[in-house]
Amino acid sequence: MSSFVLSTDMKRVVRQSKFRHVFGQAAKNDQCYDDIRVSRVTWDSTFCSVNPKFVAIIVEASGGGAFLVLPLHKTGRIDKSYPSVCGHTGPVLDIEWCPHNDQVIASGSEDCTVMVWQIPENGLVTPMAEPVVALEGHSKRVGIVAWHPTARNVLVSAGCDNMIIIWNVGTGEAMISLEDEHPDVIFSVSWNRNGSLLCTACKDKSIRVIDPRKDGEKIIAEKEKAHDGARPMRAIFLSDGNVLTTGFSRMSERQLALWNTHNMEEPMTVNEMDTSNGVLLPFYDPDTNVVYLCGKGDSSIRYFEITDEAPYVHFLNTFSSKEPQRGMGYMPKRGLDVNKCEIARFFKLHERKCEPIVMTVPRKSDLFQDDLYPDTAGPDPALEAEEWFEGKNGDPIKISLKNGYVPSKSREIKVVKKNILDSKVTKNAENSAPSSKCATPAPSTDSKMCFSHLNDVLCETCSNTGTHTHTHTLEL
């Protein structure tokens, strides 16, 4: 009888979750990116950004700042002469790929500028020193850049001048400047799901929820001393509008806390983990409500499931390895292998290499697991920049991953009105994506293949040289 009581009690304690058995696996050596001199700059950012085409890594650079952009398939040893993006005059502190264009990446630097780059479709062939647009407005180093999740060409940056600027990248203008909201250095900035609000963590130990387009007082919620410790905090929005923070207790224990933005007097829950100096970088999957915590200098990734019932935050497991991580990249959902039940892929930075780590849910069936892959945010923006600055909001446009994500044809950054991105892209033609006229469609009856390029001579019809073929439509 007693054993029966014990087993029913155990059932009550063990929470049912499809993510309980998620396991992490590091890639084999030949699937890593080797011989990369990862940046040693003292700044608590991820140093890495990933999308379904490229992995970008901030690297050591003499006399300036640089980052590598590698096609995902270019694994193995990376030659020291491999071209980098090297237009900054000071170390690069943060990079992030645009969610609406897999060839566009933003970078923030110690040189006080934000730069936006358009990477050629097949990666760099020569070093890229000319950005598509340079955004100047900060008076001190820029440590944070974050693209708007649903509006095209909207970018937020935060600097050590305690200022947040929201840019229209399409015109190169600083549209909103938040100068008085933060009395000290800003540690993190996060958009909510539809990009209508920001949440920030600051050195003054406060977390703030900000409506950047609101007239008058823009801070709509604030919690002082969210974590008592002096070490840096992080704050991110969850899909239900709550805010998740990582920080330190007064005794230097690392903490994970959850906050309801409508009542921030007390946290919904606080989890204390361990005593360590490394800042916990949170990576959140809104589709599965799983959050992954990667500590700088740690050799592990902890992951938790967030639910809407107490205790809200449920520990799932820890992926452990031997080497400490210098930084971490996180692949968007549309870049994962759904056939292998992959629910997350990290790109762990070591001192001299980048190592992919795959998180998998074990399943016996080969069928598409729709409970693991609900429709996810796709690459199409819901709004143009002007619409968002005028006050409109738009939820992410979702796509199904059932047949595996197939990227659409690459696009230039869209030009709205007079767009400085246009003139810059053409000026940098050898480093920009190939235009559609250089594609190789099958010739129709009213078009004729131009073979001048096969001999690397000038084609009189289009004034191009090269070693490719393309079509010209002829008047019949």
Side-chain angles (χ1 to χ4, degrees):
M1 181 69 183
S2 59
S3 63
F4 174 74
V5 172
L6 183 64
S7 64
T8 52
D9 281 354
M10 284 292 287
K11 278 182 186 169
R12 219 171 290 138
V13 171
V14 176
R15 200 180 59 87
Q16 290 300 311
S17 169
K18 55 192 163 215
F19 304 113
R20 264 184 61 212
H21 302 292
V22 169
F23 67 96
Q25 197 162 22
K28 295 188 172 76
N29 277 342
D30 62 346
Q31 295 299 307
C32 295
Y33 307 85
D34 271 317
D35 221 10
I36 294 168
R37 293 187 306 148
V38 175
S39 175
R40 294 174 176 276
V41 69
T42 309
W43 187 252
D44 289 318
S45 75
T46 60
F47 287 3
C48 182
S49 186
V50 195
N51 69 22
K53 281 187 176 178
F54 299 108
V55 53
I57 302 163
I58 302 175
V59 292
E60 285 284 284
S62 52
F67 58 94
L68 282 178
V69 174
L70 304 170
L72 282 188
H73 60 78
K74 189 170 174 54
T75 52
R77 186 178 169 276
I78 307 301
D79 199 273
K80 284 185 174 60
S81 63
Y82 194 87
S84 64
V85 180
C86 52
H88 283 289
T89 57
V92 177
L93 301 177
D94 196 21
I95 49 176
E96 184 170 281
W97 288 105
C98 175
H100 309 126
N101 190 329
D102 285 343
Q103 289 167 228
V104 172
I105 188 168
S107 57
S109 164
E110 272 192 20
D111 65 12
C112 308
T113 67
V114 176
M115 291 183 178
V116 177
W117 313 82
Q118 178 129 9
I119 306 300
E121 192 166 6
N122 298 315
L124 295 178
V125 181
T126 57
M128 184 177 272
E130 273 290 311
V132 177
V133 56
L135 306 171
E136 297 177 357
H138 287 284
S139 59
K140 290 188 179 175
R141 61 186 184 162
V142 182
I144 299 167
V145 289
W147 291 95
H148 192 284
T150 62
R152 194 198 310 269
N153 289 350
V154 176
L155 179 73
V156 68
S157 64
C160 292
D161 50 8
N162 312 339
M163 192 161 126
I164 288 176
I165 299 177
I166 302 178
W167 308 86
N168 181 343
V169 174
T171 60
E173 293 174 279
M175 303 296 288
I176 298 171
S177 294
L178 306 175
E179 300 177 24
D180 305 320
E181 282 71 15
H182 299 88
D184 213 327
V185 174
I186 300 159
F187 287 143
S188 75
V189 178
S190 166
W191 294 100
N192 67 345
R193 191 83 169 115
N194 71 355
S196 59
L197 300 173
L198 292 167
C199 75
T200 66
C202 181
K203 194 175 180 180
D204 68 351
K205 300 184 184 178
S206 291
I207 55 173
R208 296 171 176 86
V209 177
I210 295 170
D211 183 344
R213 297 169 296 178
K214 189 179 173 191
D215 294 329
E217 177 57 47
K218 296 182 188 298
I219 298 173
I220 61 172
E222 183 173 4
K223 173 61 181 174
E224 296 177 5
K225 287 200 173 178
H227 296 273
D228 289 327
R231 301 274 301 136
M233 299 190 302
R234 286 286 182 278
I236 57 169
F237 266 115
L238 304 183
S239 55
D240 59 5
N242 291 334
V243 169
L244 181 137
T245 61
T246 64
F248 295 79
S249 71
R250 194 179 282 108
M251 306 301 290
S252 291
E253 283 183 308
R254 294 197 290 193
Q255 296 177 321
L256 169 68
L258 198 62
W259 307 84
N260 181 339
T261 55
H262 302 295
N263 177 14
M264 298 184 78
E265 286 298 310
E266 293 294 327
M268 295 164 65
T269 182
V270 178
N271 282 34
E272 297 202 334
M273 278 169 283
D274 59 6
T275 306
S276 178
N277 285 331
V279 174
L280 286 170
L281 305 176
F283 296 92
Y284 172 63
D285 177 3
D287 303 329
T288 59
N289 264 321
V290 175
V291 66
Y292 304 85
L293 299 186
C294 306
K296 273 229 159 175
D298 287 12
S299 52
S300 62
I301 302 171
R302 291 180 179 85
Y303 37 108
F304 300 79
E305 187 175 2
I306 314 292
T307 63
D308 49 13
E309 294 177 4
Y312 307 111
V313 177
H314 308 271
F315 175 73
L316 289 172
N317 211 335
T318 302
F319 168 80
S320 297
S321 56
K322 291 177 183 172
E323 297 291 322
Q325 52 226 17
R326 297 278 293 277
M328 194 70 79
Y330 180 61
M331 176 68 80
K333 212 58 176 289
R334 57 195 173 88
L336 302 181
D337 187 344
V338 297
N339 300 315
K340 294 180 179 172
C341 295
E342 183 182 350
I343 62 161
R345 193 188 311 162
F346 292 92
F347 287 70
K348 173 181 171 178
L349 299 187
H350 298 241
E351 202 168 322
R352 303 275 311 188
K353 78 171 179 179
C354 173
E355 175 187 46
I357 295 169
V358 172
M359 298 287 183
T360 306
V361 176
R363 291 279 168 98
K364 290 178 180 173
S365 170
D366 290 335
L367 298 174
F368 177 72
Q369 307 291 313
D370 50 10
D371 62 323
L372 298 182
Y373 301 106
D375 288 358
T376 191
D380 292 324
L383 300 167
E384 296 298 338
E386 285 74 16
E387 294 178 293
W388 186 80
F389 286 113
E390 285 165 6
K392 289 185 183 173
N393 292 321
D395 288 331
I397 296 175
K398 295 188 175 182
I399 57 170
S400 169
L401 297 176
K402 184 157 191 175
N403 300 313
Y405 169 67
V406 180
S408 58
K409 197 76 184 112
S410 64
R411 299 156 298 180
E412 301 286 316
I413 303 178
K414 178 152 183 198
V415 177
V416 185
K417 300 179 185 170
K418 169 144 182 20
N419 191 332
I420 54 175
L421 298 181
D422 217 17
S423 54
K424 293 278 180 87
V425 168
T426 51
K427 192 169 89 178
N428 201 16
E430 71 277 5
N431 257 341
S432 71
S435 61
S436 54
K437 72 177 179 186
C438 288
T440 56
S444 61
T445 53
D446 61 345
S447 66
K448 177 181 168 186
M449 295 298 279
C450 165
F451 292 104
S452 306
H453 296 301
L454 293 176
N455 303 315
D456 204 18
V457 296
L458 182 68
C459 165
E460 292 174 6
T461 315
C462 65
S463 304
N464 269 337
T465 58
T467 53
H468 53 276
T469 63
H470 58 260
T471 63
H472 296 301
T473 305
L474 303 178
E475 299 284 335
L476 292 181

